[in-house]
Amino acid sequence: MTVGKDVSALFPDVVNCMQTDNLELKKLVYLYLMNYAKSQPDMAIMAVNTFVKDCEDPNPLIRALAVRTMGCIRVDKITEYLCEPLRKCLKDEDPYVRKTAAVCVAKLHDINAQLVEDQGFLDTLKDLISDSNPMVVANAVAALSEIAESHPSSNLLDLNPQSINKLLTALNECTEWGQIFILDCLANYMPKDDREAQSICERVTPRLSHANSAVVLSAVKVLMKFMEMLSKDLDYYGTLLKKLAPPLVTLLSAEPELQYVALRNINLIVQKRPEILKHEMKVFFVKYNDPIYVKLEKLDIMIRLASQANIAQVLAELKEYATEVDVDFVRKAVRAIGRCAIKVEQSAERCVSTLLDLIQTKVNYVVQEAIVVIKDIFRKYPNKYESVIATLCENLDSLDEPEARAAMIWIVGEYAERIDNADELLESFLEGFHDESTQVQLQLLTAIVKLFLKKPTETQELVQQVLSLATQDSDNPDLRDRGYIYWRLLSTDPVAAKEVVLAEKPLISEETDLIEPTLLDELICYIGTLASVYHKPPSAFVEGSRGVVHKSLPPRTGSSESAESPEAAPSAGQAAEQPAVIPAQGDLLGDLLNLDLGPPVSGPPLAASSVQMGAVDLLGGGLDSLMGGSGFTAPGPAAPAGMGAPLGSGLGDLFDLTGGVGTLSGSYVAPKTVWLPAMKAKGLEISGTFSRQVDSISMDLVLTNKALQVMSDFAIQFNRNSFGLAPAAPLQVHAPLAPNQSVEISLPLNTVGSVMKMDPLNNLQVAVKNNIDVFYFSTLYPLHILFVEDGKMERQMFLATWKDIPNENEAQFQIKDCSLNADAVSSKLQGSNIFTIAKRNVEGQDMLYQSLKLTNGIWVLAELRIQPSNPSFTVRPSPCCPPLSVAPCPSACPPWGCSSRGQPPQQCC
Amino acid sequence: MIGGLFIYNHKGEVLISRVYRDDIGRNAVDAFRVNVIHARQQVRSPVTNIARTSFFHVKRSNIWLAAVTKQNVNAAMVFEFLYKMCDVMTAYFGKISEENIKNNFVLIYELLDEILDFGYPQNSETGALKTFITQQGIKSQTKEEQSQITSQVTGQIGWRREGIKYRRNELFLDVLESVNLLMSPQGQVLSAHVSGRVVMKSYLSGMPECKFGMNDKIVIEKQGKGTADETGKSGKQSIAIDDCTFHQCVRLSKFDSERSISFIPPDGEFELMRYRTTKDIILPFRVIPLVREVGRTKLEVKVVIKSNFKPSLLAQKIEVRIPTPLNTSGVQVICMKGKAKYKASENAIVWKIKRMAGMKESQISAEIELLPTNDKKKWARPPISMNFEVPFAPSGLKVRYLKVFEPKLNYSDHDVIKWSSSTFREHLPGPSTQIDRPCGSSGSRLSCLCSVTTHAATEVQNQGTSTIKLLFCWCLTTCIIS
């Protein structure tokens, strides 16, 4: 506006103009203030008075203008003055002022979140949801949604059937933009059962006829999400599916930019529910005047919708596209023909002949693209279309792109026995070996080795040449490595080489480009937004905390168990995130192990302080997870406790356990948590927990296959860890795991593996392999699985040891909300191999003296003080130093000697 | 939500920049210019992500409008907003051009302040905005006026203000249709659909309640159950509408439950609805192109058009546009009817015929001389396009009635009965009325204007073996006068 000139120097003069009656001038002054207040915060104060005055102007337009502008001035001093006028405006009699004030709360929250909470604006904002004016409701919803996004846990928008009802009523009355806000907000709601979901769907469906595409897409989002909860046999489910198709098709007659957004979303919808648009193939045919981005997206969807029924039409179209002008589009069209061949088996032959026709056009990039896709077709249908190789070879010279050259070389190598002059062809490539890209070089190396294995007599010279080129003259490590491997294979065991190099290849799968199912589900929750345009979760492109909350579809429910769904979904979300959370407090637990981890022989005694820390931690980690149950939704290895409260709540849980776990069946077992989410492991999901049964530790795993292909050949390995945990037997999955199947396995563990200090102490890094890939994850195991059964120390020994413990090895914790008596505690702890050595009563308090022993022979002594009247326990663990003689595991113990101190938890009140 | 909004000219200079959110810095302005406007390549996507900042842009003539955000916003909403923004600006100062934007920059900032608050779109109906954002400066309003404005801006009927008065109450209705047709090289129709729009111009006083009816199959069948004779009358007249979308003034829930279209219209021109049909489409013309390459420097083109409707009807103002290659040096044209001319500046042969009856045929043949060229840039082979006016709708859509009801009946200088009788006349003849024929009743003016556009796409390279895409557009205007 100022042609880039800085006019902040005029600030005082402009502010003087503020008190004008001319509304237009006032607006301009306000605009100036918004732009320059930040650079002149002191002077901006001068404007406050006028703002406050304007907020009480009889003209509602001016009141709203003042409150709107004030919110845009991001100067701390001004925000203080904003609170009072804002409060008044939120209760203004005029809806125009109220709707402006509602947005202003969001502005203020962006500047100073604390202030908004302290001033109680959030509650006022919530009240506005019940306002009589639909636009006020819409803006309040928008503001609340935004605030809630930056406080994922705050439960600000706690939607219940009543408030949903209000929103649905407002939906019919407010502006198109308001409808979008409300629909987007509705999409975050989790109906409590399928009946509620259906009734919301019924009230949202009329929005599908709105002229505003954004309203339509947001309505589609709500429907797609809630449909998940409807049973498929329901009549309504079918009706809804039918109702969804026409509006989606209509979106394609909107402006091109919107078409693009719509097509990106349709791409997701087609993957999630192919049945919706399966008859609508024709509308995705490309129009002459579509912009290129629309054309490319349409092409993508055409391939997804291709089926046996419509393949003829699709192929005819694709062939047309292959003669268009835009190079990218043509390439994609050619590629699409190949994908059709792979997807629809019956059409493969026609696709191949179409591709051959295209090769005849001799248009350079068409030919190259065709060769790349024909290679894929060979992989899918081996020994079927090899007759075309001759045609391909004719075009050998025109190939100049690495991908096409690599594909051609692959074909020559793979079918070397059928091509008479394969050696000549490959030799011709070899001449410029060093000028080729890596892709081509690697392919050429492999192809010549294949050729050699098939026709060893004539090609020995060639193979030697390529091997020396690859190993001696190349700087590329990949190429060199591969060269050496082949060389060694060939020189030591040609039979093995044959088995390796000419091994039968797995068929390529149909849809390599499908979005991974868990990501797809998440993206469905973001229909209409940027995430759905990029096909990436918001965390991939949004900075900071906003939008990082994972959204998930409601779990599909039958009619009976639907009641559980709302809770199930959020907790699943939580669980999914857990494995990634590796606690930062490494120094704590870590240090206990530090003890053992020094070089075995020379291990220096630890500094006292670190021992203490370690002790505390051991207790933290161990006991914490022992308790499980009450406090956390997902206990287990979740939170490695710090020193204070978390530990307390942990111990508390141990005592709290309802069913007397301790007395009966061995130690407490945490519920299974997801260690490896499917998203990170190409569809393999692993969840599990650790348990200890008499003298044996086991890892209980559930492997779930969420990918589209069968998984087999599972194996597991642990990294070296603090206590030498290692699998005692190989991972046995008897049958291959079919898609959507899961299997439960209990893997016995022992503690004879090699030891390395981990950070945190109880961290375990695991590698799982299957036929697809190797995946890594790390998890925290509860320490109590390491408490051995013979952890009961003799009384005398206990006494002697107790006295010897230096003070600095002591630590102390409080456990709150624990209402068990001494005996119950004692028996419960015994279940987890924590033994009571003595008990006494001092001043009305029960004192328990406990001992436990870890698998590596470290003793831990503890004193618990329990006060019956007060349900809260204090634990003061003082680490004890077990005499060397007590440690029954000589091989492991000596190095730690005096440094190995466990910590006795002490309870006191 | 939207973090900022920039308007650039074709050189990439910023004309308007309004930042709503703190996370959008000044550098975002330059990032868009460098990466999109000055990018060498053609624009590959209307959404661009540069350094975690997303840019949405639309282009109007040579003006770029860009919305910027760092959050996961509703992308469809941002584009809808940008279109709306263009509409609002057009409504205020006409064509969106650099000059107009510079001349109206105060107004634009004022508008931006009003229709976008902290990145949230607010009421953007021009009708409402014009009541309190004016170009002539604000006249001092009375308290009543002020509260009327605010209640209108936030109210349920944000698109219409109260107290509108006209001496003559008029309502114009246009039905515009375009046919999209895809044909195989053998002339077989692969797919065809009509996308139609119903556009209204309303100049009515007060708060009129309107009801619009067309020969929608679902409605007719529903009514048919009640009165059997009516189906007999309407005969094949009903059409199956695949899908329709409505202006926000239409009560959607009522449409969903009763399939009746009722609304309070905004003042002035607006698009009431869009619809799409795929069944029983009448194609008014067939275009048969024949193209032959004679050597490298000559091209022979022959185009035959056949009119495909009742001989008693007349098509008017037919214009066929045959694109020619870029390296054309000269053209000789012979046509049996009408006039044809080669327009070098448009790279096309334009053939005009004043009128043509149904079931007739006409043809043009042309010899195109080409300059020998080694230009590698391929000719995009645009489609042959055709424009004309015919007195029927390809989709078969007919307007059955349009009722207007003003609850307060306060048309000051008009007799209430006169008004209602006029509307009555309009729907009196019932479903069988063809509104494309003037009824010529009691002084009411019923104008009729139809136009159909045909675009035929064909490849000029291979002889007639090609995909032909036809696009028809049909429009009809009628009006009710009180």
Side-chain angles (χ1 to χ4, degrees):
Chain A
M1 192 200 266
T2 58
V3 213
K5 286 193 192 88
D6 183 14
V7 292
S8 56
L10 304 173
F11 204 92
D13 305 297
V14 176
V15 171
N16 280 338
C17 300
M18 237 176 127
Q19 291 178 344
T20 169
D21 290 335
N22 186 328
L23 194 54
E24 204 164 335
L25 180 58
K26 192 174 268 268
K27 282 182 182 171
L28 286 172
V29 174
Y30 278 180
L31 187 64
Y32 176 91
L33 280 177
M34 277 186 256
N35 282 328
Y36 290 104
K38 233 183 165 180
S39 57
Q40 310 257 343
D42 295 330
M43 294 222 255
I45 287 290
M46 302 194 318
V48 166
N49 254 340
T50 322
F51 275 126
V52 175
K53 217 170 104 197
D54 281 353
C55 285
E56 287 166 8
D57 196 279
N59 185 341
L61 290 173
I62 291 182
R63 289 204 296 274
L65 179 66
V67 80
R68 183 166 65 208
T69 313
M70 247 178 129
C72 295
I73 297 178
R74 306 180 61 95
V75 175
D76 285 340
K77 284 177 194 160
I78 288 205
T79 30
E80 290 167 26
Y81 294 99
L82 175 59
C83 293
E84 270 326 298
L86 179 58
R87 199 188 316 281
K88 260 183 220 154
C89 289
L90 279 168
K91 304 225 161 99
D92 200 283
E93 51 169 23
D94 195 295
Y96 183 76
V97 182
R98 287 203 302 275
K99 71 114 185 163
T100 313
V103 177
C104 189
V105 175
K107 292 178 190 170
L108 189 58
H109 186 270
D110 194 37
I111 304 170
N112 190 341
Q114 195 56 44
L115 187 70
V116 171
E117 278 169 45
D118 295 346
Q119 298 275 338
F121 285 137
L122 294 182
D123 294 324
T124 326
L125 202 53
K126 279 187 207 164
D127 295 342
L128 286 184
I129 289 194
S130 326
D131 199 281
S132 58
N133 185 295
M135 194 158 179
V136 178
V137 178
N139 275 4
V141 167
L144 274 176
S145 305
E146 180 167 343
I147 295 172
E149 219 171 84
S150 53
H151 288 280
S153 55
S154 65
N155 205 16
L156 255 182
L157 260 178
D158 83 69
L159 297 169
N160 49 46
Q162 287 80 36
S163 56
I164 288 293
N165 203 18
K166 276 175 204 151
L167 291 183
L168 285 168
T169 314
L171 186 62
N172 286 328
E173 295 168 350
C174 59
T175 64
E176 44 192 330
W177 314 116
Q179 297 185 15
I180 298 170
F181 305 150
I182 292 179
L183 286 169
D184 284 351
C185 173
L186 275 181
N188 293 329
Y189 176 64
M190 203 65 84
K192 63 178 188 307
D193 55 30
D194 54 343
R195 219 166 307 144
E196 191 185 3
Q198 180 176 344
S199 80
I200 295 178
C201 287
E202 276 164 3
R203 294 180 69 177
V204 166
T205 14
R207 297 299 121 198
L208 293 175
S209 312
H210 203 284
N212 188 316
S213 311
V215 176
V216 177
L217 269 178
S218 293
V220 169
K221 166 164 62 188
V222 174
L223 296 176
M224 284 292 288
K225 217 178 150 185
F226 289 2
M227 249 168 116
E228 202 69 12
M229 295 186 65
L230 301 177
S231 138
K232 283 199 175 171
D233 341 309
L234 223 58
D235 284 349
Y236 183 69
Y237 182 84
T239 327
L240 201 55
L241 274 185
K242 266 191 220 122
K243 277 192 176 170
L244 273 173
L248 288 174
V249 174
T250 302
L251 288 177
L252 298 184
S253 33
E255 287 85 348
E257 290 88 2
L258 269 174
Q259 278 186 50
Y260 174 73
V261 174
L263 285 165
R264 293 292 285 178
N265 281 291
I266 289 172
N267 201 329
L268 296 174
I269 294 168
V270 164
Q271 288 182 56
K272 181 74 190 166
R273 297 191 183 280
E275 64 269 28
I276 294 180
L277 287 167
K278 65 180 173 207
H279 299 303
E280 303 286 353
M281 167 63 89
K282 284 175 182 169
V283 299
F284 296 103
F285 287 174
V286 168
K287 285 191 198 139
Y288 159 76
N289 50 356
D290 281 335
I292 181 68
Y293 48 82
V294 171
K295 284 185 179 171
L296 293 174
E297 290 307 317
K298 280 188 172 172
L299 201 53
D300 244 358
I301 294 170
M302 280 172 67
I303 302 164
R304 295 215 193 285
L305 289 176
S307 67
Q308 204 181 336
N310 55 24
I311 193 75
Q313 272 180 4
V314 174
L315 271 183
E317 277 294 298
L318 291 176
K319 203 175 166 188
E320 285 293 321
Y321 303 161
T323 59
E324 286 246 5
V325 179
D326 190 283
V327 177
D328 281 352
F329 182 59
V330 172
R331 282 170 182 276
K332 196 158 183 177
V334 176
R335 221 160 253 234
I337 297 176
R339 275 168 66 185
C340 285
I342 291 168
K343 192 175 173 196
V344 186
E345 192 162 352
Q346 294 80 358
S347 73
E349 194 151 350
R350 301 176 64 163
C351 294
V352 172
S353 73
T354 311
L355 286 170
L356 284 181
D357 286 352
L358 290 173
I359 290 178
Q360 300 302 344
T361 62
K362 303 275 176 200
V363 178
N364 188 286
Y365 51 84
V366 175
V367 174
Q368 308 210 35
E369 208 62 40
I371 286 179
V372 173
V373 295
I374 285 181
K375 181 200 75 176
D376 288 341
I377 295 176
F378 284 165
R379 287 281 312 266
K380 171 79 180 174
Y381 309 107
N383 305 318
K384 224 168 156 189
Y385 302 109
E386 280 68 19
S387 52
V388 307
I389 292 178
T391 326
L392 302 187
C393 290
E394 285 165 21
N395 294 289
L396 209 58
D397 301 331
S398 63
L399 307 180
D400 52 10
E401 287 162 26
E403 205 182 348
R405 286 172 81 89
M408 193 63 220
I409 292 169
W410 183 87
I411 293 171
V412 174
E414 188 67 18
Y415 298 101
E417 69 274 22
R418 307 184 195 198
I419 305 171
D420 297 334
N421 58 346
D423 49 342
E424 284 168 36
L425 294 177
L426 291 177
E427 201 170 356
S428 67
F429 281 106
L430 206 54
E431 281 159 18
F433 189 77
H434 287 299
D435 302 329
E436 300 283 5
S437 75
T438 317
Q439 192 185 11
V440 182
Q441 290 175 333
L442 286 170
Q443 212 51 262
L444 192 54
L445 175 61
T446 309
I448 291 179
V449 173
K450 278 183 194 163
L451 174 69
F452 171 70
L453 289 168
K454 286 174 180 170
K455 301 181 184 173
T457 44
E458 311 119 74
T459 56
Q460 198 154 8
E461 207 172 299
L462 192 62
V463 80
Q464 268 167 2
Q465 198 184 342
V466 76
L467 286 176
S468 77
L469 277 172
T471 53
Q472 285 156 25
D473 302 341
S474 166
D475 295 334
N476 186 321
D478 286 346
L479 186 63
R480 264 199 328 250
D481 282 359
R482 196 185 281 195
Y484 279 125
I485 288 175
Y486 285 144
W487 203 327
R488 241 162 257 173
L489 265 176
L490 291 173
S491 58
T492 51
D493 189 353
V495 183
K498 212 162 190 165
E499 273 170 22
V500 171
V501 179
L502 302 180
E504 202 172 310
K505 283 165 279 294
L507 296 184
I508 54 174
S509 68
E510 288 179 6
E511 296 268 338
T512 42
D513 62 332
L514 277 185
I515 295 178
E516 202 268 320
T518 39
L519 177 61
L520 180 63
D521 281 357
E522 190 182 348
L523 290 179
I524 290 286
C525 303
Y526 288 113
I527 284 178
T529 67
L530 264 182
S532 70
V533 174
Y534 294 143
H535 288 186
K536 285 178 191 160
S539 50
F541 59 89
V542 173
E543 278 170 356
S545 62
R546 275 173 205 283
V548 189
V549 196
H550 285 276
K551 293 192 184 179
S552 55
L553 285 178
R556 178 157 277 295
T557 48
S559 43
S560 59
E561 75 249 71
S562 53
E564 280 179 17
S565 54
E567 296 95 63
S571 71
Q574 260 182 345
E577 277 180 51
Q578 264 180 12
V581 181
I582 293 172
Q585 302 152 299
D587 48 331
L588 312 171
L589 262 200
D591 289 5
L592 172 58
L593 295 192
N594 232 342
L595 313 172
D596 13 73
L597 299 182
V601 182
S602 64
L606 283 179
S609 68
S610 86
V611 173
Q612 185 167 13
M613 288 297 272
V616 170
D617 249 18
L618 176 56
L619 184 60
L623 288 191
D624 192 21
S625 45
L626 265 191
M627 10 196 159
S630 75
F632 299 94
T633 33
M643 309 216 10
L647 177 67
S649 73
L651 266 189
D653 278 350
L654 176 58
F655 294 110
D656 236 19
L657 289 178
T658 45
V661 181
T663 48
L664 293 175
S665 62
S667 61
Y668 164 70
V669 181
K672 290 194 172 66
T673 53
V674 178
W675 287 338
L676 183 68
M679 246 163 99
K680 290 197 178 141
K682 305 190 179 164
L684 175 65
E685 185 179 278
I686 300 181
S687 56
T689 186
F690 293 92
S691 65
R692 181 178 183 98
Q693 264 107 20
V694 183
D695 230 2
S696 70
I697 306 171
S698 59
M699 183 170 175
D700 301 325
L701 295 165
V702 177
L703 307 178
T704 310
N705 182 356
K706 293 198 171 168
L708 300 166
Q709 63 189 109
V710 174
M711 293 180 179
S712 57
D713 308 334
F714 287 94
I716 195 166
Q717 212 166 10
F718 292 175
N719 195 2
R720 287 192 294 165
N721 54 69
S722 317
F723 289 92
L725 276 181
L731 184 64
Q732 301 216 316
V733 181
H734 295 292
L737 200 53
N740 277 328
Q741 202 188 359
S742 55
V743 61
E744 281 196 45
I745 302 159
S746 181
L747 179 73
L749 305 180
N750 57 29
T751 52
V752 299
S754 42
V755 173
M756 182 178 78
K757 188 208 159 188
M758 296 302 295
D759 191 14
L761 194 58
N762 55 343
N763 190 11
L764 179 64
Q765 295 175 338
V766 183
V768 171
K769 185 193 89 115
N770 64 9
N771 58 330
I772 300 173
D773 206 347
V774 183
F775 311 107
Y776 303 92
F777 62 90
S778 67
T779 177
L780 300 175
Y781 48 88
L783 277 183
H784 71 266
I785 61 164
L786 301 168
F787 298 169
V788 296
E789 277 75 11
D790 60 347
K792 186 155 184 163
M793 201 182 253
E794 275 176 58
R795 283 185 82 136
Q796 298 305 319
M797 178 79 82
F798 186 92
L799 264 172
T801 319
W802 188 259
K803 282 182 195 146
D804 290 344
I805 301 173
N807 276 346
E808 63 265 26
N809 281 6
E810 269 187 32
Q812 187 171 329
F813 306 93
Q814 274 206 350
I815 301 171
K816 295 232 165 70
D817 300 328
C818 215
S819 53
L820 292 173
N821 63 27
D823 291 339
V825 168
S826 169
S827 67
K828 204 157 256 191
L829 286 177
Q830 188 155 358
S832 295
N833 294 338
I834 302 170
F835 299 94
T836 308
I837 309 300
K839 175 183 160 188
R840 64 183 173 137
N841 192 301
V842 182
E843 296 160 8
Q845 299 172 349
D846 281 329
M847 308 279 281
L848 291 179
Y849 292 91
Q850 313 271 2
S851 77
L852 63 92
K853 194 173 85 177
L854 296 172
T855 48
N856 55 7
I858 299 178
W859 284 91
V860 180
L861 307 186
E863 181 187 58
L864 305 182
R865 187 175 300 167
I866 306 165
Q867 199 177 39
S869 58
N870 185 344
S872 77
F873 289 61
T874 312
V875 181
R876 189 169 52 84
S878 62
C880 74
C881 166
L884 221 63
S885 61
V886 179
C889 183
S891 67
C893 278
W896 318 324
C898 60
S899 63
S900 59
R901 309 171 178 209
Q903 77 288 40
Q906 279 190 325
Q907 293 203 340
C908 52
C909 288
Chain B
M1 286 301 116
I2 300 172
L5 212 135
F6 306 129
I7 300 180
Y8 300 85
N9 66 8
H10 66 286
K11 283 185 254 169
E13 291 164 353
V14 187
L15 303 177
I16 299 283
S17 119
R18 178 75 164 88
V19 176
Y20 292 94
R21 300 261 171 153
D22 220 26
D23 52 3
I24 303 299
R26 293 269 155 208
N27 48 355
V29 185
D30 302 323
F32 182 77
R33 172 176 40 237
V34 173
N35 288 287
V36 181
I37 301 183
H38 291 169
R40 282 196 188 161
Q41 268 197 325
Q42 195 193 345
V43 179
R44 284 311 203 191
S45 156
V47 185
T48 328
N49 193 333
I50 306 164
R52 294 203 149 213
T53 309
S54 299
F55 295 81
F56 302 77
H57 73 263
V58 299
K59 217 180 158 192
R60 288 286 181 271
S61 61
N62 52 12
I63 296 295
W64 299 74
L65 283 95
V68 194
T69 183
K70 282 206 164 182
Q71 300 175 24
N72 181 30
V73 299
N74 189 325
M77 184 189 78
V78 176
F79 281 122
E80 282 286 359
F81 176 78
L82 288 174
Y83 301 142
K84 196 74 188 188
M85 167 96 200
C86 293
D87 292 348
V88 171
M89 290 200 291
T90 316
Y92 266 95
F93 52 75
K95 193 171 163 278
I96 297 177
S97 65
E98 185 173 350
E99 201 191 346
N100 276 345
I101 288 177
K102 281 183 174 166
N103 289 340
N104 291 287
F105 86 102
V106 175
L107 173 74
I108 294 175
Y109 277 110
E110 207 176 322
L111 284 171
L112 279 177
D113 199 37
E114 187 57 44
I115 59 180
L116 204 56
D117 190 4
F118 200 43
Y120 290 108
Q122 304 292 309
N123 194 332
S124 47
E125 283 303 313
T126 334
L129 289 171
K130 278 192 171 169
T131 58
F132 65 105
I133 296 183
T134 58
Q135 284 157 293
Q136 292 89 33
I138 295 264
K139 353 162 224 187
S140 62
Q141 297 140 323
T142 65
K143 213 177 168 189
E144 273 169 27
E145 280 170 338
Q146 288 161 1
S147 67
Q148 198 191 324
I149 289 169
T150 58
S151 78
Q152 191 212 331
V153 174
T154 59
Q156 297 180 19
I157 312 165
W159 53 88
R160 188 180 180 90
R161 66 194 163 89
E162 281 188 50
I164 299 174
K165 277 188 189 135
Y166 284 102
R167 290 196 60 184
R168 281 155 62 92
N169 287 304
E170 288 178 308
L171 187 62
F172 295 85
L173 177 95
D174 294 64
V175 180
L176 299 143
E177 290 194 341
S178 65
V179 180
N180 249 302
L181 182 69
L182 191 66
M183 281 165 84
S184 73
Q186 291 74 36
Q188 179 192 4
V189 176
L190 288 178
S191 80
H193 77 261
V194 174
S195 51
R197 303 189 297 140
V198 177
V199 179
M200 280 196 169
K201 277 182 205 158
S202 87
Y203 305 106
L204 299 172
S205 313
M207 282 296 207
E209 178 74 49
C210 300
K211 224 174 164 187
F212 175 68
M214 52 193 178
N215 54 344
D216 180 0
K217 200 172 180 183
I218 298 174
V219 178
I220 303 257
E221 274 168 9
K222 221 193 253 173
Q223 290 176 345
K225 275 177 204 156
T227 51
D229 54 25
E230 207 173 345
T231 37
K233 259 193 224 165
S234 58
K236 56 142 200 157
Q237 312 294 355
S238 63
I239 59 161
I241 291 177
D242 287 24
D243 185 38
C244 39
T245 60
F246 296 99
H247 185 265
Q248 61 165 317
C249 64
V250 177
R251 296 188 185 87
L252 293 179
S253 39
K254 210 160 181 187
F255 178 75
D256 198 56
S257 55
E258 303 164 22
R259 229 176 151 83
S260 72
I261 304 166
S262 64
F263 56 97
I264 295 174
D267 199 38
E269 188 174 340
F270 70 102
E271 187 182 287
L272 178 69
M273 69 177 287
R274 280 173 189 242
Y275 59 91
R276 191 162 45 80
T277 67
T278 44
K279 292 202 184 84
D280 305 326
I281 295 165
I282 314 151
L283 303 172
F285 281 96
R286 290 204 66 172
V287 179
I288 304 149
L290 287 167
V291 180
R292 199 157 71 93
E293 267 181 297
V294 188
R296 290 194 60 199
T297 58
K298 205 168 155 194
L299 209 60
E300 281 181 11
V301 183
K302 198 167 119 184
V303 178
V304 182
I305 57 168
K306 287 182 183 169
S307 56
N308 201 14
F309 43 88
K310 275 190 249 165
S312 56
L313 299 176
L314 267 185
Q316 294 188 52
K317 296 182 192 165
I318 300 155
E319 185 185 292
V320 183
R321 191 170 280 266
I322 305 158
T324 55
L326 301 172
N327 53 345
T328 304
S329 61
V331 178
Q332 273 122 35
V333 206
I334 310 158
C335 59
M336 306 188 327
K337 219 177 164 191
K339 281 179 195 162
K341 234 190 209 169
Y342 168 63
K343 292 195 174 168
S345 59
E346 296 165 36
N347 271 318
I349 301 168
V350 181
W351 178 26
K352 285 181 179 167
I353 304 171
K354 273 189 184 157
R355 61 179 69 85
M356 186 169 173
M359 306 314 278
K360 288 269 165 61
E361 186 180 316
S362 186
Q363 72 166 3
I364 181 174
S365 48
E367 273 185 24
I368 302 170
E369 304 273 345
L370 301 176
L371 287 172
T373 164
N374 50 6
D375 192 357
K376 282 206 174 161
K377 210 176 154 194
K378 257 169 102 186
W379 181 41
R381 292 182 304 218
I384 293 176
S385 63
M386 188 169 176
N387 283 290
F388 50 85
E389 294 172 10
V390 285
F392 58 90
S395 71
L397 180 109
K398 292 193 175 96
V399 179
R400 288 175 57 222
Y401 59 84
L402 180 61
K403 295 180 200 170
V404 180
F405 173 69
E406 155 54 57
K408 290 178 192 156
L409 300 170
N410 61 346
Y411 296 132
S412 57
D413 49 351
H414 280 267
D415 187 8
V416 175
I417 300 163
K418 201 171 171 189
W419 159 256
S420 59
S421 75
S422 171
T423 50
F424 180 64
R425 198 183 302 283
E426 175 54 28
H427 65 94
L428 173 72
S432 58
T433 328
Q434 298 213 340
I435 30 154
D436 46 351
R437 304 262 176 81
C439 317
S441 56
S442 70
S444 63
R445 182 170 57 89
L446 218 105
S447 74
C448 174
L449 180 128
C450 322
S451 82
V452 177
T453 336
T454 309
H455 301 290
T458 175
E459 266 124 51
V460 181
Q461 229 176 22
N462 313 338
Q463 297 191 345
T465 58
S466 61
T467 316
I468 300 178
K469 293 178 187 181
L470 291 168
L471 208 104
F472 299 98
C473 169
W474 181 86
C475 130
L476 181 137
T477 309
T478 181
C479 73
I480 304 163
I481 306 165
S482 59

